[in-house]
C-alpha cells in the first residue's frame, strides 16, 4: 500500500494512505511537488507499505503530534468509509445524534479533551481537511452551546479586561493590520480630494 509520511514534532511519523491525499489540498499539493511518487513503479507493487512522499510539519508549533495522530486516524478511516457531510440545522446537542456514523462520533469525543480538539481544528485547518474541520468545529460548537460569553472566554484564553495595559497592547499588536489598512485608506482618500 502506498502511503504518505507526515512528520510531526521530534520527527514523529504518522502514515496515511496515498488515497487520502484527495481529501487534503495541502497534502495533495505537496505530494505532487515531490517527484518521488513517479519513481515507484510496478517493482514496489508487492511492498506491504511503500512511502511515496514525506511532509514535514515539525516547524508548525500549532500542530502537535497528538493532533497529527488523530488526523492520520481520520484520513485512514475516511478512505475506507467516507463521512457523510454534516449539514445544519441541528436538532440535538449530542454529536452521536448529529453524526450518524458511530466511528466518527466516537472519534471526535472519546479521549478528546478541549485542548486536543483545538489542536485538531488547527491541524485540519492548516492541512485543509474540510470534513475533519467541520467535525471538530461541530464538537467545539456543542461544547460552547448554552454557555455565556464569560464562560466561553476562558475556553479560548480570551481576556475581557481591556483596561489592563498589557492586554490592551497585545490586542492592539494583534490587530495592527487593521489600523495600518485604515491609515492607508485615509491617505488615499485625502490624496484623491487634493487632486
Amino acid at each position: 500500500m502506498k502511503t504518505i509520511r507526515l512528520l510531526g514534532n521530534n520527527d514523529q511519523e504518522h502514515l496515511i494512505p496515498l488515497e487520502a491525499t484527495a481529501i487534503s489540498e495541502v497534502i495533495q499539493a505537496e505530494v505532487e511537488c515531490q517527484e518521488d511518487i513517479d519513481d515507484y513503479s510496478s517493482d514496489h507493487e508487492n511492498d506491504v507499505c511503500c512511502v511515496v512522499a514525506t511532509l514535514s510539519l515539525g516547524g508548525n508549533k500549532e500542530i502537535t503530534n497528538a493532533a497529527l495522530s488523530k488526523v492520520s486516524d481520520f484520513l485512514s478511516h475516511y478512505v475506507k468509509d467516507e463521512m457523510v457531510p454534516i449539514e445544519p440545522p441541528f436538532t440535538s446537542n449530542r454529536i452521536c445524534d448529529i453524526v450518524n456514523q458511530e466511528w466518527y462520533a466516537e472519534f471526535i469525543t472519546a479521549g478528546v479533551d478541549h485542548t486536543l480538539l483545538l489542536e485538531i481544528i488547527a491541524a485540519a485547518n492548516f492541512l485543509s481537511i474540510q470534513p475533519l474541520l467541520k467535525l471538530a468545529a461541530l464538537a467545539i460548537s456543542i461544547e460552547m452551546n448554552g454557555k455565556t460569553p464569560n464562560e466561553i472566554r476562558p475556553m479560548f484564553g480570551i481576556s475581557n479586561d481591556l483596561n489592563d495595559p498589557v492586554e490592551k497592547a497585545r490586542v492592539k499588536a494583534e490587530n495592527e493590520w487593521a489600523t495600518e489598512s485604515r491609515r492607508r485608506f485615509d491617505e488615499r482618500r485625502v490624496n484623491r480630494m487634493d487632486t
Side-chain angles (χ1 to χ4, degrees):
M1 173 173 78
K2 292 183 179 181
T3 61
I4 306 300
R5 178 188 302 129
L6 301 177
L7 293 178
N9 298 327
N10 302 323
D11 290 334
Q12 185 174 341
E13 278 189 9
H14 306 274
L15 299 176
I16 60 168
L18 179 61
E19 306 89 62
T21 61
I23 303 164
S24 168
E25 296 171 12
V26 172
I27 297 173
Q28 187 174 33
E30 184 64 27
V31 168
E32 289 171 0
C33 287
Q34 294 188 22
E35 297 174 358
D36 296 342
I37 196 162
D38 296 328
D39 296 340
Y40 288 88
S41 56
S42 58
D43 59 325
H44 289 283
E45 284 179 4
N46 296 327
D47 290 356
V48 173
C49 182
C50 174
V51 176
V52 297
T54 299
L55 176 58
S56 179
L57 301 168
N60 189 326
K61 300 299 180 208
E62 290 184 23
I63 301 179
T64 64
N65 283 322
L68 270 182
S69 180
K70 293 297 273 186
V71 166
S72 176
D73 292 347
F74 180 88
L75 292 174
S76 296
H77 186 80
Y78 193 93
V79 296
K80 296 179 212 161
D81 180 24
E82 190 171 318
M83 188 175 82
V84 175
I86 300 170
E87 298 293 334
F90 306 125
T91 57
S92 173
N93 286 333
R94 294 172 8 124
I95 287 184
C96 61
D97 294 337
I98 298 169
V99 178
N100 295 326
Q101 293 164 288
E102 184 180 342
W103 188 91
Y104 290 104
E106 184 77 14
F107 165 84
I108 204 64
T109 56
V112 178
D113 63 7
H114 179 76
T115 302
L116 180 54
L117 193 53
L118 293 176
E119 292 169 355
I120 292 169
I121 289 173
N125 185 48
F126 180 80
L127 295 171
S128 190
I129 305 170
Q130 293 306 312
L132 178 55
L133 185 58
K134 288 180 180 181
L135 180 62
L138 171 66
I140 215 75
S141 69
I142 288 173
E143 267 189 24
M144 293 178 356
N145 192 28
K147 290 187 170 49
T148 66
N150 288 336
E151 292 171 317
I152 293 172
R153 283 187 193 101
M155 293 172 67
F156 297 97
I158 299 171
S159 170
N160 194 30
D161 185 11
L162 291 182
N163 294 325
D164 176 16
V166 173
E167 181 67 11
K168 194 172 187 177
R170 185 188 66 77
V171 170
K172 188 174 182 179
E174 284 179 2
N175 295 294
E176 192 171 314
W177 62 270
T179 306
E180 179 62 23
S181 178
R182 178 62 189 209
R183 187 191 59 75
R184 286 192 309 253
F185 174 78
D186 289 342
E187 282 178 2
R188 284 191 302 254
R189 195 173 81 209
V190 168
N191 289 340
R192 279 190 226 138
M193 292 172 66
D194 290 343
T195 57

